[in-house]
Every structure is written in C-alpha cells, then in structure tokens.
Amino acid sequence: MASIRSEQRREWRKIVLNRPDRLNAFNDEMHEALARVLDEAADDVRCRAVLLTGEGRAFCAGQDLNDRRSGEGGAEPDLGDTVERFYNPLVRRLRSLPKPVVCAVNGVAAGAGANIALACDIVLATRSARFVQAFAKIGLIPDSGGTFFLPRLVGEARARALVMTAEPLAAETAAAWGLIWKAVDDEALMSEAEALTDHLATQPTQGLALAKRALAASAANTLDAQLDLERDLQRLAGQTPDYREAVQAFLGKRQPKFTGQPRPPNATASALAGAQS
Ligand code: T3D
C-alpha cells in the first residue's frame, strides 16, 4: 500500500498521508514519497492548489517511533540529521509551494504531525480532532517549525504551556485561539475542505503565491522592509494576466475567469500602466 496517495482533481491535487494503522506516522519512505508529490504539484501548471489530509482516524502522529527503537545493535539515530533531511525540507516545501495548501485535519495531529498541519496555508479540522505537542512526553523539543509557529499563532503563554504539558488541544479551542482557521463537524470536513480547495484553484494563482511570499517574510521583517517587499511583489502581481482580467471583469460588470498563468517574461510595470490607461 502506498504511504502517500496523490489524486488529481479538477485543477488541484489531494494528497493523503496513508499509513492509517500507524496513525499516518512518518517513516523515511513516506517522507520521500511526500516530497515527490509536493514537488510534482509545485511544478504542474494544471495544479493550482493542494489539499493535504490523512487516511483513517488520524491526521498524523509525527515520527514513527518504531523506527527509533534503540538497543537492537544499530547506532542511535541522529535526530538532527533526520530533521535536516526530512522534516525541515517538508516545512520549507509547504511554505514555499507557489499555490495555496489547505490542510484537512481529520483526527489527531501529534508531534511533527501537528506542526506540519500548521505549516499549511489554511487549516480546517474536525471538531473531534486534537492537536498534541507530544514531544515533551518523549524528551524532545517541538520541531517542524513548532517553536516558530506556536508563539506567533497563539502567543507565548499558550505556546509555552502547550509545549511543556503536551496536553491535547481540542480543534474548537485551536480555532478560538487562532491556531487554525476553523473546526467543522466531522462529517462535513472533507466536503468543506474540498470545496475550499476547489474554489482556491479557480482564483488568481500567481497573486496568491505572491501573497504567500509576503506573509512568509513578514515574521522576520521590519515594517519598512515589509513595505518595500509589498511594493516589489505588487509590481509582479500587477503584471499577471489574472490581475488584468480581474480589472476588466470588474469594469465590465462580469465575473472574472482566472487562468493562473504567470506574467509574461518581458512584462514590466510601465507596460502594464500603459495597458491600463
Ligand atoms: O525522530 C526524529 O527523526 C526526530 C523528529 C521527531 C518528530 C516527531 O514527531 S517526535 C513525536 C513522535 N510522536 C509522538 O510521540 C506521538 C505518539 N503517539 C501518541 O501520543 C498517541 O498515539 C496519539 C496522541 C497520537 C493518539 O493517541 P490515541 O490514544 O488516539 O491512539 P493510540 O492507541 O496511542 O495509538 C494507536 C496506534 O497507533 C497504536 O498502535 P497499536 O497499539 O494499535 O498497534 C500506537 O502505537 C500507534 N502509534 C501512534 N503514534 C505512533 C504510533 N506508532 C508509531 N509511531 C507513532 N508516532
């Protein structure tokens, strides 16, 4: 059974973590398969959004601890090495994917599984789902961006308590605290998540990718630096066919039809200014 399923939908891909008997915990093979399908989704111009979810009753239980048994003759694993080889590239892939990534948390999300969900752009979860910073229970620290995302999303006080107690956080509380976008009825999760991804896949893909870049940079930028970045990225957004289509549709009082196409290679801001006048 493939540990990752990638299903092509209209203009988007559904990527499913598929080791349900291990609550979709990661082993090396699953990491490699996920990296492959995310790279394919990034490169495929027909794919304009991604939906990430899990098979079975869990979203993901983080690292498969069966692969971390000690005392069986092998050397102790270097966890810094596996973080470097697998978890960090995964978070970077999700954050830099030039299209929206929706995460449908279909059940418990623990350890790296919780933080991988937080690395996605929009997170929906079933009301019965829980987010568990399970690391403290096994003597580890939150990885996969947990120490970056948590304080920014929920504030220091809540981040510290979640990290140090490893208490499960119910999806509704996660939504109320701003950790995720929303909690929905269990039976409604997939239809809501699919409808949202389907909608995002019809939107101005390049503009969304540029907005994602601006948001990613804001955590480390001063206001001045961020204003400069917004200027530069807006220049690029203003050169996309979808921007032009949106303005024409607005002025023509009709619905826009976005293609997600990149701006022409020779586009310049001044050329666009001329085209708009
Ligand atoms: O190692 C490195 O490379 C560094 C990177 C680390 C990243 C990490 O993610 S470290 C954190 C690893 N994850 C955990 O510590 C979570 C461990 N799991 C749990 O705490 C609980 O299972 C859950 C909170 C996720 C769910 O609890 P519950 O009560 O709903 O289910 P359960 O009964 O505990 O688990 C069901 C089965 O899944 C069970 O197997 P069994 O007894 O039915 O055969 C359990 O062993 C298995 N399972 C759950 N999590 C993992 C797992 N098997 C392997 N690895 C897991 N992480």
Side-chain angles (χ1 to χ4, degrees):
M1 183 172 68
S3 60
I4 295 290
R5 282 202 326 268
S6 176
E7 303 165 5
Q8 179 67 38
R9 298 297 169 89
R10 259 185 340 164
E11 286 189 279
W12 52 277
R13 283 192 196 198
K14 182 172 180 180
I15 297 176
V16 184
L17 309 179
N18 190 34
R19 300 184 74 221
D21 51 328
R22 294 279 169 88
L23 304 189
N24 301 320
F26 274 95
N27 59 14
D28 292 2
E29 186 275 328
M30 180 163 140
H31 271 296
E32 282 160 5
L34 182 56
R36 235 178 355 257
V37 297
L38 285 173
D39 286 349
E40 283 167 13
D43 293 343
D44 181 359
V45 289
R46 294 164 310 147
C47 171
R48 296 171 61 191
V50 167
L51 172 60
L52 180 66
T53 190
E55 183 62 47
R57 75 172 177 91
F59 171 66
C60 175
Q63 172 62 40
D64 187 331
L65 296 176
N66 290 295
D67 293 356
R68 295 292 178 264
R69 289 176 205 273
S70 53
E72 290 180 357
E76 290 296 325
D78 174 349
L79 302 195
D81 182 56
T82 52
V83 166
E84 177 68 18
R85 280 195 297 136
F86 295 123
Y87 290 100
N88 287 355
L90 172 54
V91 171
R92 291 189 175 112
R93 269 192 178 85
L94 292 167
R95 296 303 268 190
S96 64
L97 202 87
K99 38 203 90 175
V101 182
V102 174
C103 184
V105 177
N106 51 303
V108 66
N115 297 333
I116 287 160
L118 301 184
C120 297
D121 295 311
I122 303 180
V123 187
L124 288 76
T126 56
R127 276 186 222 294
S128 66
R130 294 162 288 151
F131 293 81
V132 195
Q133 294 295 323
F135 307 89
K137 294 228 160 136
I138 56 169
L140 296 185
I141 70 153
D143 58 22
S144 307
T147 59
F148 181 90
F149 299 128
L150 285 168
R152 284 171 173 79
L153 291 170
V154 301
E156 280 284 327
R158 285 169 169 163
R160 281 171 191 267
L162 288 173
V163 165
M164 291 188 179
T165 65
E167 270 187 27
L169 187 70
E172 282 190 316
T173 313
W177 286 8
L179 191 73
I180 64 168
W181 168 235
K182 61 175 160 175
V184 301
D185 290 340
D186 287 25
E187 54 285 2
L189 177 76
M190 213 38 70
S191 57
E192 277 217 30
E194 291 189 356
L196 174 62
T197 315
D198 203 46
H199 167 72
L200 290 168
T202 65
Q203 295 305 294
T205 312
Q206 305 293 326
L208 295 180
L210 292 166
K212 191 166 163 168
R213 262 172 71 183
L215 287 169
S218 81
N221 265 349
T222 61
L223 175 60
D224 272 340
Q226 192 67 14
L227 289 172
D228 287 349
L229 180 66
E230 288 178 359
R231 174 202 59 212
D232 295 344
L233 297 181
Q234 196 71 299
R235 178 170 292 134
L236 299 180
Q239 294 170 344
T240 59
D242 282 343
Y243 168 66
R244 194 164 300 178
E245 162 66 4
V247 174
Q248 281 168 356
F250 179 81
L251 297 176
K253 300 194 186 304
R254 62 171 174 80
Q255 286 301 310
K257 180 146 179 37
F258 298 121
T259 62
Q261 291 304 302
R263 70 203 171 95
N266 58 352
T268 63
S270 57
L272 182 73
Q276 283 172 329
S277 61

